[in-house]
Each structure stands twice: as C-alpha cells, then as structure tokens.
Amino acid sequence: ATDLWFGMNINMTFYQPKDGKINNKDMVFDFRGDDDVWVFIDGVKVLDIGGIHDKKGGTINFASGVVTVEGKAPTTIAELYADAYRELDPSVSQDYINQYLSNIFNKDAGGNYTSFKNFSSHEMKFFYLERGAAASNCKIKFNMPVLPEDSIRIGKEISNYDEGAYNDVEFQFQLYTGSGNNKDSFNLVRGKDYTLIKANGEQSTEHVGENGIFTLKHGEQAQFDKLGLDTNYYVKEIGLSSATYDQVTIESVDVVNG
C-alpha cells in the first residue's frame, strides 16, 4: 500500500527581529492542513503535527515563544529546546540547561524564557507529507524575514538604559572578511552597499565609504549581501568611550551560513 502520495519541504534562514515583532505585529509561523507536518529550528523539532488526521492547525509565535497545536497543551520553543537537549544527554543538570537556554532566549520579568534573542539568526526546515489520494489541505502563513544564504546582519542593541536615552546616538562599526582563522589577514569591507533596517522595520540602501565605517543606532541592523558562502568575518565597533560604558562586549568571528 502507498504510505505517502506527495510531500514538500521548505528550508530557510531567518532572523529574529527586536522583541519578535514585524511592523509592530508578532512574528508568526502558522500551518493548517493534513497530514504530517514537522518544523525544525536549528535541528530542534518545535512543531509536530504528525500522523493521519483531518485539518489541524499549529502556530509558532516568535514574540512570546509559545507553540500551539490544535488538541494539545501549549508549550514554548525554549521548553522544546530543553527537552531536545535532555534527550541527547539525560544526565545533564538543570543548571547547565538554564545556561544553555540563556545563551539563546530572552527572559521576561518573571525569569521565564520567551523568544529568541534579538537579531539572532536561525535555520528552519519545514516538512509536509500527504498520506491520502484526495482532499489534501495545506495552508502556510508566515511573516518571518528571510536572510539570504550569503548575507549577514549586524545589529546594535543597548541593554540596561533609560528608554530613549540613546535613540539618536550613532555608533560606528567596521566589517572585516576573509578565510581561515587568522583575523589579521582579513580585509576591511569598503565601498559596498548594504541595507539599513531601522527598529520600526523601515529599510533603505546605504553605502560604506572608503574608510569602511558604517553607523547604527540602537535597535538598527545592517545587512550585507553577496559575501560568499563560508566567508569568515568579524565586526569591530570603533570610537567607544570608557567614560560612557562600564563594560563592552564585542561579538564575534563567524561564518556566513557555513
């Protein structure tokens, strides 16, 4: 007997906007249909609507971190990540799980894990399988911003500050790219266009001059495209003042979707 009649999959890299909002609306992935549907984020199964069934809905809310499936109790992305980690290592301590989750998720005022950290990027894989020969249903709706596979986004966010205090302050950055692990051999990116994404979602095309400097305000991001797969890069923030900042952390060397 035929177990499956047809199927499809969607693979994409998306980024988490500030507070999981797109144009002041929650960023959401929503499915309704039949039969099997699985959604993996960073290799973790976060939406499971498997089996033979009539139309059934499931939603991932990236603002609250809540995952809902029709007929099941709600859960969260963070809880699913923790469950997946425990499955790999049943002996892992809760303290280690908390440390693992703290590197990936935001927390609310009550200390509960909610959405992914602002401006982080993630890989999503969607799988759909139809088991019947007729009456197939598949409705997918999402407003997730997709990051081209040879692109990076650089964001500026200031924590522990009075709201509005830094809204008009421009911070200067330089982007270096290269191959291998020797950062001293990397080249400063100059004379290249990039997309500026403001905190409210508005976008504009900007240009890096010969000095390689581009500026970002709190909550803004710069997207650089066509950097080449497996390109290593690091970002340098310049002009920092020790009189203004008690502590500065700069991140980091990475690989473009490698």
Side-chain angles (χ1 to χ4, degrees), residues 5-252:
W5 287 83
F6 66 89
M8 68 175 178
N9 68 79
I10 301 171
N11 297 337
M12 67 178 180
T13 300
F14 69 93
Y15 76 93
Q16 175 82 6
K18 182 174 173 58
D19 300 327
K21 300 281 188 178
I22 298 290
N23 296 325
N24 294 321
K25 295 182 179 180
D26 288 0
M27 187 171 85
V28 172
F29 181 92
D30 185 79
F31 172 85
R32 184 167 180 79
D34 64 280
D35 286 300
D36 299 300
V37 164
W38 300 283
V39 176
F40 293 80
I41 299 177
D42 300 332
V44 175
K45 184 168 60 178
V46 296
L47 191 63
D48 185 351
I49 319 179
I52 300 174
H53 52 76
D54 292 331
K55 286 187 292 185
K56 184 179 289 189
T59 300
I60 307 168
N61 187 306
F62 294 93
S64 65
V66 173
V67 178
T68 56
V69 174
E70 195 174 317
K72 296 183 179 180
T75 184
T76 68
I77 305 173
E79 288 172 351
L80 293 165
Y81 269 56
D83 290 344
Y85 204 107
R86 292 190 189 97
E87 186 175 344
L88 288 174
D89 183 3
S91 65
V92 68
S93 69
Q94 186 59 48
D95 286 344
Y96 195 90
I97 289 290
N98 291 339
Q99 180 182 352
Y100 164 70
L101 296 178
S102 294
N103 290 329
I104 303 172
F105 296 95
N106 294 319
K107 286 184 178 181
D108 62 18
N112 301 304
Y113 295 105
T114 56
S115 58
F116 288 123
K117 286 189 176 294
N118 293 340
F119 312 127
S120 58
S121 60
H122 306 273
E123 182 184 26
M124 190 192 84
K125 294 184 178 181
F126 166 89
F127 299 92
Y128 170 77
L129 297 169
E130 172 56 54
R131 300 202 191 201
S136 174
N137 294 275
C138 179
K139 180 181 178 182
I140 306 169
K141 182 172 64 175
F142 61 91
N143 60 344
M144 301 154 65
V146 178
L147 186 63
E149 63 178 8
D150 59 351
S151 301
I152 62 169
R153 286 203 178 197
I154 300 160
K156 176 65 179 181
E157 184 176 15
I158 304 172
S159 58
N160 300 322
Y161 79 104
D162 294 332
E163 190 66 34
Y166 292 97
N167 284 356
D168 295 323
V169 179
E170 292 186 333
F171 300 88
Q172 296 183 328
F173 298 86
Q174 291 177 322
L175 172 64
Y176 294 80
T177 62
S179 59
N181 297 319
N182 182 10
K183 294 196 298 181
D184 293 336
S185 67
F186 286 15
N187 296 314
L188 176 63
V189 174
R190 314 170 189 261
K192 184 176 178 63
D193 288 343
Y194 67 95
T195 302
L196 176 66
I197 302 99
K198 296 184 178 180
N200 62 5
E202 294 180 0
Q203 299 187 12
S204 62
T205 300
E206 306 295 336
H207 187 77
V208 178
E210 287 305 309
N211 60 4
I213 294 175
F214 61 97
T215 60
L216 292 173
K217 296 178 182 178
H218 168 68
E220 292 185 339
Q221 301 171 77
Q223 177 173 312
F224 290 84
D225 298 322
K226 299 180 180 179
L227 293 179
L229 294 178
D230 297 324
T231 297
N232 292 335
Y233 69 91
Y234 72 92
V235 178
K236 181 178 180 181
E237 185 167 3
I238 60 177
L240 292 173
S241 169
S242 60
T244 304
Y245 301 95
D246 294 327
Q247 181 177 354
V248 175
T249 302
I250 299 177
E251 300 179 354
S252 74

